[in-house]
Each structure stands twice: as structure tokens, then as C-alpha cells.
Amino acid sequence: SDATLIERQLKMRDIHFQNLVVDNSDDYTKALLEFKPDIILSDYNLPAFDGFSALMLRQELAPLTPFLLVTGTTNEETAVKCMKAGADDYILKENLTRLGQAFRAAIDNKTIARSNKEALKKLSILSRAVEQNPALIIITDKAGKIEYVNPRFTEATGYALSEVVGKTPGILKSGKQSKEFYSNLWQTILSGREWSGEFSNKKKNGDLYWENARISPLLDIDGEITHFVAIKEDVTEKRQ
């Protein structure tokens, strides 16, 4: 009867759904794994189970699934315990008019959480792609000051990240290129275009080496340049 009451309240709020009612640990676990709900609404006192145990199983098996406790229990200590354990909301049956709002808020929060998780996953992939890239990668701000170099840069030049951050790639200059060469490079990338060419550069130990480079501007959503990315390959042996 409580489940029916909750269903009616949600439908009154124009929320359409497919639901499954369970009242014991085994059926609940199976539902989490097979039914895969978008949201869980649980009473605190169940015939052969309880809401806090249901919440703990949610944490283990479906941590991103919103969990609403809908109960007649008015014990404030119980409410605090459940909220601290990860419940998204605690709704008393005598105040079910708040259920629709809480339901929608929990679903929205779930969407945001999943989006954040996907974004972090993509960032992790991109980060590893840069860190493990066989090319030398340098990222500078708009003024050309280095903010990042990948491990391959350190391996090839002998400079650690801490030694180059805040400096410009000019620390690698060998003196073989003219002022006009660098002037043309800057004019190209500041205009929003990609520059490509070869440098004769100098390592930390003084050894000269050749690298083929592509330098591209990074733009923000307004089309303004915020950073430059240089992707370089040591071509000394190829030239020899």
C-alpha cells in the first residue's frame, strides 16, 4: 500500500516511469544488477530488510544511482545517519507532496554526476595520451611561457618540468635561426594559424639537435587564443 501511494504521488506530479517493487535483500540485489533502476525509493522498515542496508548495497553495487528514503520513521538520528551514508533525500510519508521535487532533483544530480564521471574519464585518456606520447609536447600560455612539457621532452632535452615552467622555449635556442625566422613563426600562430617547420635546438648539456615541429594555437569558446601547443619530433638521425 505504501508503494502504491508513492506511485500515485509521482504520477500526480506528471512523472512517468516503469517500476519494480521488492522487499528483501535477494530481490533487491537482483534488481540492482538486472533491472538497473535510474532511482531507488526505499522505506526504512521492510518485512525482511531495512532501508539503511539497502543504502549500503546501493553504495556497493550502484553508487551513482540516487537513493530516496521515503518513510514514516521520524527519528532525526536515523535521518542524519542515512544522509551521511549517502542518501540523496529523506522524505516523511506525512509530507509526500515534496516527493516529486525531490525525485526530479535526484535524477538531475545523477545526470550531472554521470556527466562529470564521463568528463573525468575523457580527461584521463587525454592526459595519458599526452604523457605517453612519443613526440615532444610543450604547452605554453599566450605569451609563450611554458606551462607543461611531457616526459618525452624531458628525456630528449635533459630539462625537467620544474626547470622550464614559466620560461619560454627560447631556452632551447641554438642561435642557428634568424630573428626573421622566429618573427614569422609568431606572426603565424598569433593570427590563429598553425606553423610547421624545423629547428636546430640545444639540449641542456649543450648538444645540438634537429626537431620537426607543429605549433598550433588553442582557442576558447569565444575564439580567443589562450595557449599554444607544440608537437615536436627529434629528426637529428633522419637528417644525418
mmCIF file with all atom_site columns, all heavy atoms in Angstrom, residues 132-151:
data_model
loop_
_atom_site.group_PDB
_atom_site.id
_atom_site.type_symbol
_atom_site.label_atom_id
_atom_site.label_alt_id
_atom_site.label_comp_id
_atom_site.label_asym_id
_atom_site.label_entity_id
_atom_site.label_seq_id
_atom_site.pdbx_PDB_ins_code
_atom_site.Cartn_x
_atom_site.Cartn_y
_atom_site.Cartn_z
_atom_site.occupancy
_atom_site.B_iso_or_equiv
_atom_site.pdbx_formal_charge
_atom_site.auth_seq_id
_atom_site.auth_comp_id
_atom_site.auth_asym_id
_atom_site.auth_atom_id
_atom_site.pdbx_PDB_model_num
ATOM 1   N N   . GLN A 1 132 ? 52.196 9.817  -22.435 1.00 0.00 ? 132 GLN A N   1
ATOM 2   C CA  . GLN A 1 132 ? 52.867 8.658  -23.016 1.00 0.00 ? 132 GLN A CA  1
ATOM 3   C C   . GLN A 1 132 ? 53.213 8.846  -24.499 1.00 0.00 ? 132 GLN A C   1
ATOM 4   O O   . GLN A 1 132 ? 53.685 7.931  -25.149 1.00 0.00 ? 132 GLN A O   1
ATOM 5   C CB  . GLN A 1 132 ? 51.978 7.423  -22.843 1.00 0.00 ? 132 GLN A CB  1
ATOM 6   C CG  . GLN A 1 132 ? 51.679 7.099  -21.390 1.00 0.00 ? 132 GLN A CG  1
ATOM 7   C CD  . GLN A 1 132 ? 50.671 5.981  -21.220 1.00 0.00 ? 132 GLN A CD  1
ATOM 8   O OE1 . GLN A 1 132 ? 50.451 5.161  -22.125 1.00 0.00 ? 132 GLN A OE1 1
ATOM 9   N NE2 . GLN A 1 132 ? 50.023 5.925  -20.061 1.00 0.00 ? 132 GLN A NE2 1
ATOM 10  N N   . ASN A 1 133 ? 52.976 10.047 -25.009 1.00 0.00 ? 133 ASN A N   1
ATOM 11  C CA  . ASN A 1 133 ? 53.209 10.296 -26.430 1.00 0.00 ? 133 ASN A CA  1
ATOM 12  C C   . ASN A 1 133 ? 54.703 10.246 -26.757 1.00 0.00 ? 133 ASN A C   1
ATOM 13  O O   . ASN A 1 133 ? 55.517 10.787 -26.007 1.00 0.00 ? 133 ASN A O   1
ATOM 14  C CB  . ASN A 1 133 ? 52.645 11.671 -26.801 1.00 0.00 ? 133 ASN A CB  1
ATOM 15  C CG  . ASN A 1 133 ? 52.350 11.771 -28.281 1.00 0.00 ? 133 ASN A CG  1
ATOM 16  O OD1 . ASN A 1 133 ? 53.253 11.748 -29.112 1.00 0.00 ? 133 ASN A OD1 1
ATOM 17  N ND2 . ASN A 1 133 ? 51.074 11.887 -28.604 1.00 0.00 ? 133 ASN A ND2 1
ATOM 18  N N   . PRO A 1 134 ? 55.078 9.619  -27.865 1.00 0.00 ? 134 PRO A N   1
ATOM 19  C CA  . PRO A 1 134 ? 56.496 9.558  -28.239 1.00 0.00 ? 134 PRO A CA  1
ATOM 20  C C   . PRO A 1 134 ? 57.032 10.890 -28.759 1.00 0.00 ? 134 PRO A C   1
ATOM 21  O O   . PRO A 1 134 ? 58.243 11.060 -28.903 1.00 0.00 ? 134 PRO A O   1
ATOM 22  C CB  . PRO A 1 134 ? 56.517 8.486  -29.339 1.00 0.00 ? 134 PRO A CB  1
ATOM 23  C CG  . PRO A 1 134 ? 55.142 8.502  -29.916 1.00 0.00 ? 134 PRO A CG  1
ATOM 24  C CD  . PRO A 1 134 ? 54.229 8.801  -28.767 1.00 0.00 ? 134 PRO A CD  1
ATOM 25  N N   . ALA A 1 135 ? 56.133 11.840 -29.059 1.00 0.00 ? 135 ALA A N   1
ATOM 26  C CA  . ALA A 1 135 ? 56.566 13.162 -29.511 1.00 0.00 ? 135 ALA A CA  1
ATOM 27  C C   . ALA A 1 135 ? 56.883 14.047 -28.321 1.00 0.00 ? 135 ALA A C   1
ATOM 28  O O   . ALA A 1 135 ? 56.417 13.818 -27.202 1.00 0.00 ? 135 ALA A O   1
ATOM 29  C CB  . ALA A 1 135 ? 55.473 13.803 -30.364 1.00 0.00 ? 135 ALA A CB  1
ATOM 30  N N   . LEU A 1 136 ? 57.689 15.084 -28.537 1.00 0.00 ? 136 LEU A N   1
ATOM 31  C CA  . LEU A 1 136 ? 57.961 16.089 -27.516 1.00 0.00 ? 136 LEU A CA  1
ATOM 32  C C   . LEU A 1 136 ? 56.790 17.068 -27.543 1.00 0.00 ? 136 LEU A C   1
ATOM 33  O O   . LEU A 1 136 ? 56.456 17.614 -28.599 1.00 0.00 ? 136 LEU A O   1
ATOM 34  C CB  . LEU A 1 136 ? 59.251 16.849 -27.809 1.00 0.00 ? 136 LEU A CB  1
ATOM 35  C CG  . LEU A 1 136 ? 60.599 16.148 -27.625 1.00 0.00 ? 136 LEU A CG  1
ATOM 36  C CD1 . LEU A 1 136 ? 60.840 15.089 -28.703 1.00 0.00 ? 136 LEU A CD1 1
ATOM 37  C CD2 . LEU A 1 136 ? 61.727 17.180 -27.672 1.00 0.00 ? 136 LEU A CD2 1
ATOM 38  N N   . ILE A 1 137 ? 56.145 17.274 -26.408 1.00 0.00 ? 137 ILE A N   1
ATOM 39  C CA  . ILE A 1 137 ? 54.982 18.161 -26.360 1.00 0.00 ? 137 ILE A CA  1
ATOM 40  C C   . ILE A 1 137 ? 55.231 19.288 -25.361 1.00 0.00 ? 137 ILE A C   1
ATOM 41  O O   . ILE A 1 137 ? 55.631 19.051 -24.221 1.00 0.00 ? 137 ILE A O   1
ATOM 42  C CB  . ILE A 1 137 ? 53.705 17.391 -25.977 1.00 0.00 ? 137 ILE A CB  1
ATOM 43  C CG1 . ILE A 1 137 ? 53.395 16.343 -27.053 1.00 0.00 ? 137 ILE A CG1 1
ATOM 44  C CG2 . ILE A 1 137 ? 52.519 18.343 -25.804 1.00 0.00 ? 137 ILE A CG2 1
ATOM 45  C CD1 . ILE A 1 137 ? 52.183 15.483 -26.746 1.00 0.00 ? 137 ILE A CD1 1
ATOM 46  N N   . ILE A 1 138 ? 54.992 20.512 -25.829 1.00 0.00 ? 138 ILE A N   1
ATOM 47  C CA  . ILE A 1 138 ? 55.124 21.703 -24.991 1.00 0.00 ? 138 ILE A CA  1
ATOM 48  C C   . ILE A 1 138 ? 53.813 22.471 -25.059 1.00 0.00 ? 138 ILE A C   1
ATOM 49  O O   . ILE A 1 138 ? 53.266 22.687 -26.142 1.00 0.00 ? 138 ILE A O   1
ATOM 50  C CB  . ILE A 1 138 ? 56.259 22.629 -25.475 1.00 0.00 ? 138 ILE A CB  1
ATOM 51  C CG1 . ILE A 1 138 ? 57.593 21.881 -25.548 1.00 0.00 ? 138 ILE A CG1 1
ATOM 52  C CG2 . ILE A 1 138 ? 56.385 23.847 -24.574 1.00 0.00 ? 138 ILE A CG2 1
ATOM 53  C CD1 . ILE A 1 138 ? 58.710 22.709 -26.166 1.00 0.00 ? 138 ILE A CD1 1
ATOM 54  N N   . ILE A 1 139 ? 53.307 22.892 -23.904 1.00 0.00 ? 139 ILE A N   1
ATOM 55  C CA  . ILE A 1 139 ? 52.124 23.753 -23.851 1.00 0.00 ? 139 ILE A CA  1
ATOM 56  C C   . ILE A 1 139 ? 52.529 25.055 -23.181 1.00 0.00 ? 139 ILE A C   1
ATOM 57  O O   . ILE A 1 139 ? 53.077 25.046 -22.072 1.00 0.00 ? 139 ILE A O   1
ATOM 58  C CB  . ILE A 1 139 ? 50.972 23.096 -23.075 1.00 0.00 ? 139 ILE A CB  1
ATOM 59  C CG1 . ILE A 1 139 ? 50.544 21.789 -23.769 1.00 0.00 ? 139 ILE A CG1 1
ATOM 60  C CG2 . ILE A 1 139 ? 49.772 24.046 -22.993 1.00 0.00 ? 139 ILE A CG2 1
ATOM 61  C CD1 . ILE A 1 139 ? 49.460 21.027 -23.024 1.00 0.00 ? 139 ILE A CD1 1
ATOM 62  N N   . THR A 1 140 ? 52.272 26.169 -23.865 1.00 0.00 ? 140 THR A N   1
ATOM 63  C CA  . THR A 1 140 ? 52.606 27.484 -23.311 1.00 0.00 ? 140 THR A CA  1
ATOM 64  C C   . THR A 1 140 ? 51.350 28.342 -23.185 1.00 0.00 ? 140 THR A C   1
ATOM 65  O O   . THR A 1 140 ? 50.323 28.041 -23.796 1.00 0.00 ? 140 THR A O   1
ATOM 66  C CB  . THR A 1 140 ? 53.611 28.243 -24.198 1.00 0.00 ? 140 THR A CB  1
ATOM 67  O OG1 . THR A 1 140 ? 52.926 28.760 -25.350 1.00 0.00 ? 140 THR A OG1 1
ATOM 68  C CG2 . THR A 1 140 ? 54.749 27.344 -24.649 1.00 0.00 ? 140 THR A CG2 1
ATOM 69  N N   . ASP A 1 141 ? 51.447 29.413 -22.396 1.00 0.00 ? 141 ASP A N   1
ATOM 70  C CA  . ASP A 1 141 ? 50.350 30.376 -22.382 1.00 0.00 ? 141 ASP A CA  1
ATOM 71  C C   . ASP A 1 141 ? 50.466 31.264 -23.620 1.00 0.00 ? 141 ASP A C   1
ATOM 72  O O   . ASP A 1 141 ? 51.348 31.066 -24.474 1.00 0.00 ? 141 ASP A O   1
ATOM 73  C CB  . ASP A 1 141 ? 50.351 31.197 -21.089 1.00 0.00 ? 141 ASP A CB  1
ATOM 74  C CG  . ASP A 1 141 ? 51.596 32.059 -20.909 1.00 0.00 ? 141 ASP A CG  1
ATOM 75  O OD1 . ASP A 1 141 ? 52.356 32.247 -21.883 1.00 0.00 ? 141 ASP A OD1 1
ATOM 76  O OD2 . ASP A 1 141 ? 51.821 32.546 -19.792 1.00 0.00 ? 141 ASP A OD2 1
ATOM 77  N N   . LYS A 1 142 ? 49.593 32.268 -23.725 1.00 0.00 ? 142 LYS A N   1
ATOM 78  C CA  . LYS A 1 142 ? 49.569 33.109 -24.926 1.00 0.00 ? 142 LYS A CA  1
ATOM 79  C C   . LYS A 1 142 ? 50.866 33.897 -25.085 1.00 0.00 ? 142 LYS A C   1
ATOM 80  O O   . LYS A 1 142 ? 51.270 34.232 -26.206 1.00 0.00 ? 142 LYS A O   1
ATOM 81  C CB  . LYS A 1 142 ? 48.376 34.057 -24.861 1.00 0.00 ? 142 LYS A CB  1
ATOM 82  C CG  . LYS A 1 142 ? 48.150 34.831 -26.146 1.00 0.00 ? 142 LYS A CG  1
ATOM 83  C CD  . LYS A 1 142 ? 46.904 35.696 -26.073 1.00 0.00 ? 142 LYS A CD  1
ATOM 84  C CE  . LYS A 1 142 ? 46.698 36.486 -27.365 1.00 0.00 ? 142 LYS A CE  1
ATOM 85  N NZ  . LYS A 1 142 ? 45.481 37.313 -27.328 1.00 0.00 ? 142 LYS A NZ  1
ATOM 86  N N   . ALA A 1 143 ? 51.536 34.173 -23.975 1.00 0.00 ? 143 ALA A N   1
ATOM 87  C CA  . ALA A 1 143 ? 52.791 34.936 -24.030 1.00 0.00 ? 143 ALA A CA  1
ATOM 88  C C   . ALA A 1 143 ? 53.987 34.056 -24.351 1.00 0.00 ? 143 ALA A C   1
ATOM 89  O O   . ALA A 1 143 ? 55.108 34.552 -24.495 1.00 0.00 ? 143 ALA A O   1
ATOM 90  C CB  . ALA A 1 143 ? 53.013 35.661 -22.710 1.00 0.00 ? 143 ALA A CB  1
ATOM 91  N N   . GLY A 1 144 ? 53.743 32.741 -24.451 1.00 0.00 ? 144 GLY A N   1
ATOM 92  C CA  . GLY A 1 144 ? 54.824 31.824 -24.791 1.00 0.00 ? 144 GLY A CA  1
ATOM 93  C C   . GLY A 1 144 ? 55.529 31.234 -23.593 1.00 0.00 ? 144 GLY A C   1
ATOM 94  O O   . GLY A 1 144 ? 56.534 30.522 -23.744 1.00 0.00 ? 144 GLY A O   1
ATOM 95  N N   . LYS A 1 145 ? 55.026 31.485 -22.378 1.00 0.00 ? 145 LYS A N   1
ATOM 96  C CA  . LYS A 1 145 ? 55.650 30.909 -21.193 1.00 0.00 ? 145 LYS A CA  1
ATOM 97  C C   . LYS A 1 145 ? 55.174 29.478 -20.988 1.00 0.00 ? 145 LYS A C   1
ATOM 98  O O   . LYS A 1 145 ? 53.972 29.196 -21.049 1.00 0.00 ? 145 LYS A O   1
ATOM 99  C CB  . LYS A 1 145 ? 55.323 31.753 -19.960 1.00 0.00 ? 145 LYS A CB  1
ATOM 100 C CG  . LYS A 1 145 ? 55.981 33.125 -19.991 1.00 0.00 ? 145 LYS A CG  1
ATOM 101 C CD  . LYS A 1 145 ? 55.710 33.909 -18.721 1.00 0.00 ? 145 LYS A CD  1
ATOM 102 C CE  . LYS A 1 145 ? 56.404 35.266 -18.761 1.00 0.00 ? 145 LYS A CE  1
ATOM 103 N NZ  . LYS A 1 145 ? 56.143 36.059 -17.530 1.00 0.00 ? 145 LYS A NZ  1
ATOM 104 N N   . ILE A 1 146 ? 56.110 28.594 -20.748 1.00 0.00 ? 146 ILE A N   1
ATOM 105 C CA  . ILE A 1 146 ? 55.811 27.163 -20.661 1.00 0.00 ? 146 ILE A CA  1
ATOM 106 C C   . ILE A 1 146 ? 54.995 26.834 -19.420 1.00 0.00 ? 146 ILE A C   1
ATOM 107 O O   . ILE A 1 146 ? 55.330 27.256 -18.311 1.00 0.00 ? 146 ILE A O   1
ATOM 108 C CB  . ILE A 1 146 ? 57.121 26.341 -20.659 1.00 0.00 ? 146 ILE A CB  1
ATOM 109 C CG1 . ILE A 1 146 ? 57.855 26.519 -21.999 1.00 0.00 ? 146 ILE A CG1 1
ATOM 110 C CG2 . ILE A 1 146 ? 56.828 24.857 -20.412 1.00 0.00 ? 146 ILE A CG2 1
ATOM 111 C CD1 . ILE A 1 146 ? 59.235 25.898 -22.025 1.00 0.00 ? 146 ILE A CD1 1
ATOM 112 N N   . GLU A 1 147 ? 53.912 26.080 -19.620 1.00 0.00 ? 147 GLU A N   1
ATOM 113 C CA  . GLU A 1 147 ? 53.091 25.592 -18.508 1.00 0.00 ? 147 GLU A CA  1
ATOM 114 C C   . GLU A 1 147 ? 53.229 24.086 -18.335 1.00 0.00 ? 147 GLU A C   1
ATOM 115 O O   . GLU A 1 147 ? 53.020 23.562 -17.248 1.00 0.00 ? 147 GLU A O   1
ATOM 116 C CB  . GLU A 1 147 ? 51.623 25.947 -18.740 1.00 0.00 ? 147 GLU A CB  1
ATOM 117 C CG  . GLU A 1 147 ? 51.345 27.443 -18.680 1.00 0.00 ? 147 GLU A CG  1
ATOM 118 C CD  . GLU A 1 147 ? 49.865 27.772 -18.754 1.00 0.00 ? 147 GLU A CD  1
ATOM 119 O OE1 . GLU A 1 147 ? 49.041 26.825 -18.880 1.00 0.00 ? 147 GLU A OE1 1
ATOM 120 O OE2 . GLU A 1 147 ? 49.518 28.969 -18.680 1.00 0.00 ? 147 GLU A OE2 1
ATOM 121 N N   . TYR A 1 148 ? 53.594 23.394 -19.433 1.00 0.00 ? 148 TYR A N   1
ATOM 122 C CA  . TYR A 1 148 ? 53.686 21.924 -19.351 1.00 0.00 ? 148 TYR A CA  1
ATOM 123 C C   . TYR A 1 148 ? 54.630 21.404 -20.426 1.00 0.00 ? 148 TYR A C   1
ATOM 124 O O   . TYR A 1 148 ? 54.659 21.911 -21.552 1.00 0.00 ? 148 TYR A O   1
ATOM 125 C CB  . TYR A 1 148 ? 52.300 21.297 -19.534 1.00 0.00 ? 148 TYR A CB  1
ATOM 126 C CG  . TYR A 1 148 ? 52.346 19.792 -19.691 1.00 0.00 ? 148 TYR A CG  1
ATOM 127 C CD1 . TYR A 1 148 ? 52.401 18.956 -18.578 1.00 0.00 ? 148 TYR A CD1 1
ATOM 128 C CD2 . TYR A 1 148 ? 52.372 19.209 -20.958 1.00 0.00 ? 148 TYR A CD2 1
ATOM 129 C CE1 . TYR A 1 148 ? 52.476 17.586 -18.725 1.00 0.00 ? 148 TYR A CE1 1
ATOM 130 C CE2 . TYR A 1 148 ? 52.447 17.832 -21.114 1.00 0.00 ? 148 TYR A CE2 1
ATOM 131 C CZ  . TYR A 1 148 ? 52.496 17.027 -19.995 1.00 0.00 ? 148 TYR A CZ  1
ATOM 132 O OH  . TYR A 1 148 ? 52.573 15.661 -20.138 1.00 0.00 ? 148 TYR A OH  1
ATOM 133 N N   . VAL A 1 149 ? 55.397 20.384 -20.079 1.00 0.00 ? 149 VAL A N   1
ATOM 134 C CA  . VAL A 1 149 ? 56.130 19.571 -21.053 1.00 0.00 ? 149 VAL A CA  1
ATOM 135 C C   . VAL A 1 149 ? 55.927 18.116 -20.673 1.00 0.00 ? 149 VAL A C   1
ATOM 136 O O   . VAL A 1 149 ? 55.781 17.797 -19.495 1.00 0.00 ? 149 VAL A O   1
ATOM 137 C CB  . VAL A 1 149 ? 57.645 19.904 -21.091 1.00 0.00 ? 149 VAL A CB  1
ATOM 138 C CG1 . VAL A 1 149 ? 57.870 21.324 -21.568 1.00 0.00 ? 149 VAL A CG1 1
ATOM 139 C CG2 . VAL A 1 149 ? 58.286 19.683 -19.725 1.00 0.00 ? 149 VAL A CG2 1
ATOM 140 N N   . ASN A 1 150 ? 55.889 17.234 -21.645 1.00 0.00 ? 150 ASN A N   1
ATOM 141 C CA  . ASN A 1 150 ? 55.666 15.821 -21.333 1.00 0.00 ? 150 ASN A CA  1
ATOM 142 C C   . ASN A 1 150 ? 56.989 15.104 -21.042 1.00 0.00 ? 150 ASN A C   1
ATOM 143 O O   . ASN A 1 150 ? 58.073 15.657 -21.262 1.00 0.00 ? 150 ASN A O   1
ATOM 144 C CB  . ASN A 1 150 ? 54.869 15.139 -22.443 1.00 0.00 ? 150 ASN A CB  1
ATOM 145 C CG  . ASN A 1 150 ? 55.667 14.962 -23.727 1.00 0.00 ? 150 ASN A CG  1
ATOM 146 O OD1 . ASN A 1 150 ? 56.673 15.645 -23.941 1.00 0.00 ? 150 ASN A OD1 1
ATOM 147 N ND2 . ASN A 1 150 ? 55.222 14.070 -24.596 1.00 0.00 ? 150 ASN A ND2 1
ATOM 148 N N   . PRO A 1 151 ? 56.924 13.876 -20.529 1.00 0.00 ? 151 PRO A N   1
ATOM 149 C CA  . PRO A 1 151 ? 58.159 13.146 -20.182 1.00 0.00 ? 151 PRO A CA  1
ATOM 150 C C   . PRO A 1 151 ? 59.128 12.976 -21.348 1.00 0.00 ? 151 PRO A C   1
ATOM 151 O O   . PRO A 1 151 ? 60.343 12.956 -21.154 1.00 0.00 ? 151 PRO A O   1
ATOM 152 C CB  . PRO A 1 151 ? 57.616 11.791 -19.694 1.00 0.00 ? 151 PRO A CB  1
ATOM 153 C CG  . PRO A 1 151 ? 56.273 12.109 -19.141 1.00 0.00 ? 151 PRO A CG  1
ATOM 154 C CD  . PRO A 1 151 ? 55.718 13.159 -20.065 1.00 0.00 ? 151 PRO A CD  1
#
